[in-house]
Amino acid sequence: MTMPPPPLEPDIVLHAAAWTDVDGAEEDPQGAAAVNVGGTLNAASLGAPLVYYSTDYVFDGRKREPYVESDAPNPISAYGRTKSHGEAAAGERAWIVRSAWLFGPTGHNFVRTMLRLGAERDEVAVVDDQRGSPTYVAHLAEASRALVELPFGIYHVTAQGDCTWADFAEAIFEEAGVDCRVRRTTTAELGRPAARPAWSVLRSEKPETPVLPNWREGLRACLARLEEP
Ligand SMILES: NC(=O)c1ccc[n+]([C@@H]2O[C@H](COP(=O)([O-])OP(=O)(O)OC[C@H]3O[C@@H](n4cnc5c(N)ncnc54)[C@H](OP(=O)(O)O)[C@@H]3O)[C@@H](O)[C@H]2O)c1
């Protein structure tokens, strides 16, 4: 006879799972909500303090200075709405960690996509009218360790500095020594189903929030990890 698994009694839950297909969420908002809200309720029901990774997409992007924690969310996409509702679903004993433009040496992300495209083509078209702070996941992970020593609440945690996606693509090619041109284009020209905030720069108004390195430093650290044998 097989024994049932012991009940989960975690000390802390780091909840990073999400429906992250921003365009797909427009087609299936209920599916996105089931994961981003329902899944968060499930994670919170474990009863342990929860780190909920949230996003700049809870904002509409109309501000032209960095969003702080006390700014009111106003998502402009189904993904953003479900992540915003997910923040509420995380409950009272949670750290809501809003970050943005995440990249790292594994998984599906902008740095890896640009390196792949840059190896195949002479030119890539990249939008130049969305501004944010590309954040290296290893820096966010280190900050998370410090954050869980702070009171529950919302924290804005992104790399220092900001750029457009086109600036970021150029930096990737420059740092990686890839010979590929960036053609600067617009969000309208790209014509994706979901609206994206034009201004995604976040800043923390809480002095105790960990400060991350500049995005370019994050990029160099990520590329160094990719080059490791
Ligand atoms: N990427 C960004 O720029 C960004 C910015 C701000 C905040 N965030 C937030 O940061 C977190 C991580 O983002 P990411 O870009 O690393 O996302 P990702 O690469 O899409 O990873 C999401 C993870 O969630 C898992 N997942 C999805 N649906 C699930 C379900 N129903 N049950 C269990 N696991 C499920 C996926 O598992 P499988 O691999 O098995 O599908 C995957 O491992 C998310 O909460 C996202 O909203 C991301």
Side-chain angles (χ1 to χ4, degrees):
M1 198 175 81
T2 52
M3 297 289 285
L8 278 179
E9 288 176 2
D11 297 323
I12 191 167
V13 174
L14 302 176
H15 178 39
W19 175 306
T20 56
D21 177 359
V22 175
D23 291 321
E26 296 297 310
E27 287 283 308
D28 186 4
Q30 287 177 338
V35 178
N36 294 348
V37 188
T40 305
L41 285 171
N42 288 341
S45 73
L46 291 168
L50 184 77
V51 177
Y52 173 76
Y53 289 97
S54 192
T55 168
D56 51 307
Y57 279 36
V58 301
F59 296 114
D60 60 22
R62 295 199 185 102
K63 201 175 169 186
R64 282 299 175 272
E65 52 188 270
Y67 284 98
V68 292
E69 288 90 345
S70 58
D71 284 322
N74 184 30
I76 54 172
S77 64
Y79 168 74
R81 279 189 292 280
T82 61
K83 288 296 292 184
S84 183
H85 292 147
E87 292 184 353
E92 296 291 312
R93 297 177 68 224
W95 299 270
I96 307 297
V97 182
R98 292 194 188 127
S99 196
W101 294 27
L102 297 179
F103 65 91
T106 59
H108 178 73
N109 65 70
F110 187 79
V111 170
R112 283 168 43 99
T113 302
M114 285 302 122
L115 291 175
R116 177 172 51 78
L117 293 178
E120 295 166 4
R121 305 179 187 179
D122 297 332
E123 184 180 275
V124 289
V126 185
V127 296
D128 195 32
D129 56 1
Q130 295 171 33
R131 180 166 286 275
S133 304
T135 301
Y136 180 38
V137 288
H139 290 161
L140 179 61
E142 277 168 35
S144 300
R145 197 191 290 269
L147 262 170
V148 298
E149 304 295 333
L150 301 178
F152 297 128
I154 300 173
Y155 294 90
H156 285 186
V157 188
T158 58
Q160 297 295 296
D162 55 78
C163 62
T164 68
W165 286 114
D167 296 332
F168 189 31
E170 274 185 353
I172 293 164
F173 294 147
E174 199 178 300
E175 295 286 351
V178 174
D179 189 15
C180 181
R181 278 185 313 278
V182 173
R183 182 171 68 79
R184 290 174 184 260
T185 183
T186 63
T187 305
E189 191 183 330
L190 207 64
R192 305 278 285 275
R196 268 95 171 148
W199 177 268
S200 273
V201 185
L202 308 183
R203 181 177 63 74
S204 182
E205 61 193 348
K206 300 181 175 179
E208 67 274 27
T209 304
V211 176
L212 269 56
N214 184 272
W215 63 267
R216 190 123 189 172
E217 204 178 309
L219 171 60
R220 283 194 282 266
C222 176
L223 292 174
R225 282 286 297 276
L226 278 167
E227 281 162 15
E228 277 173 14

